[in-house]
Amino acid sequence: MDFLMSGLAACGACLFTNPLEVVKTRMQLQGELQAPGTYQRHYRNVFHAFITIGRVDGLAALQKGLAPALLYQFLMNGIRLGTYGLAEAGGYLHTAEGTLSPPRSAAAGALAGVMGAYLGSPIYMVKTHLQAQAASEIAVGHQYKHQILPPQSWKVALAAAMVSGIAVVLAMTPFDVVSTRLYNQPTDSQGKGLMYRGMLDALRQTARTEGIFGMYKGIGASYFRLGPHTILSLFFWDQLRTLYHTYTK
């Protein structure tokens, strides 16, 4: 659970910070191995870079490389924070007397960080290539011509559904947990629930007894169900509408 929650939390943050990553990447590549004053500065500062990228490449370009960025954040932070959490839960960060050991904490954090960075490095490279892609008039650095998903592909819709699914499952899982428990609770002879008085009572009892993680039980299954379910529903709906209009003309 530590791995999953850490990865999902990092992905949620990435949705908001990826535009800054795009700007950072391009500003870092600008003037690569060229003496100051000998090259054209397409991006004068952070704010100018935002405006320039949005005006020339389009606003969607501010989210370039989002798919590998999400995968990178999920993998790196899931491993890094999850491994550290396991070390903490296993008592490896404390001395025999039960006090927190700074050297052990530092060593565990460093080891977890190295593991996450090592495994996430190939994905980070792909992310950098995609974020550096720009129109010729504002291009900086080497321009790789990667194309993760072909236009108009069902894979694009699936990827979009999986990305948007992060926000959906974070917001809706607590209510999904509660609805499952309300439906499944035992009842008396009059059909009245014996465990929960209603939605708010179920939320309160779950949070008080099981903590925040109890509110997010099954979040992994919910997330990996949401993307395929969304795209398949839309696909079948579109096909059924096509068949209907074909045979009713």
Side-chain angles (χ1 to χ4, degrees), residues 54-233:
R55 176 173 53 83
V56 179
D57 284 341
L59 293 177
L62 290 168
Q63 286 288 13
K64 278 195 171 183
L66 180 60
L70 288 169
L71 181 58
Y72 170 75
Q73 290 294 334
F74 185 86
L75 181 64
M76 185 191 70
N77 286 291
I79 292 174
R80 185 173 62 181
L81 299 178
T83 301
Y84 186 87
L86 288 177
E88 184 178 31
Y92 298 110
L93 307 184
H94 295 79
T95 63
E97 293 75 24
T99 59
L100 183 65
S101 170
R104 292 187 182 185
S105 297
L111 178 61
V114 167
M115 290 175 58
Y118 179 79
L119 294 174
S121 181
I123 305 168
Y124 194 92
M125 181 180 69
V126 174
K127 176 189 74 69
T128 301
H129 290 180
L130 293 175
Q131 291 176 339
Q133 288 179 353
S136 58
E137 59 265 38
I138 60 169
V140 293
H142 184 75
Q143 294 291 291
Y144 287 91
K145 301 300 180 183
H146 299 309
Q147 188 179 52
I148 299 297
L149 297 173
Q152 307 304 319
S153 168
W154 64 270
K155 297 178 182 178
V156 176
L158 177 60
M162 296 303 287
V163 170
S164 63
I166 295 172
V168 174
V169 297
L170 287 176
M172 295 303 298
T173 296
F175 299 99
D176 195 22
V177 170
V178 165
S179 67
T180 298
R181 294 184 175 189
L182 285 172
Y183 284 128
N184 194 60
Q185 69 174 326
T187 58
D188 60 17
S189 57
Q190 284 77 41
K192 184 178 180 179
L194 298 176
M195 297 180 67
Y196 311 108
R197 294 191 299 272
M199 181 185 71
L200 294 179
D201 181 56
L203 283 169
R204 179 183 59 81
Q205 287 198 57
T206 301
R208 184 181 63 186
T209 307
E210 301 175 54
I212 186 65
F213 293 112
M215 305 292 292
Y216 283 93
K217 285 185 174 179
I219 189 173
S222 294
Y223 174 72
F224 288 110
R225 165 196 170 277
L226 182 66
H229 178 83
T230 301
I231 190 61
L232 287 172
S233 296

Side-chain angles (χ1 to χ4, degrees), residues 30-72:
Q30 183 170 241
E32 184 177 10
L33 295 182
Q34 299 179 61
T38 63
Y39 59 88
Q40 182 179 359
R41 291 183 63 194
H42 298 298
Y43 313 110
R44 294 195 294 271
N45 53 56
V46 174
F47 303 105
H48 181 257
F50 266 106
I51 296 172
T52 301
I53 294 170
R55 176 173 53 83
V56 179
D57 284 341
L59 293 177
L62 290 168
Q63 286 288 13
K64 278 195 171 183
L66 180 60
L70 288 169
L71 181 58
Y72 170 75

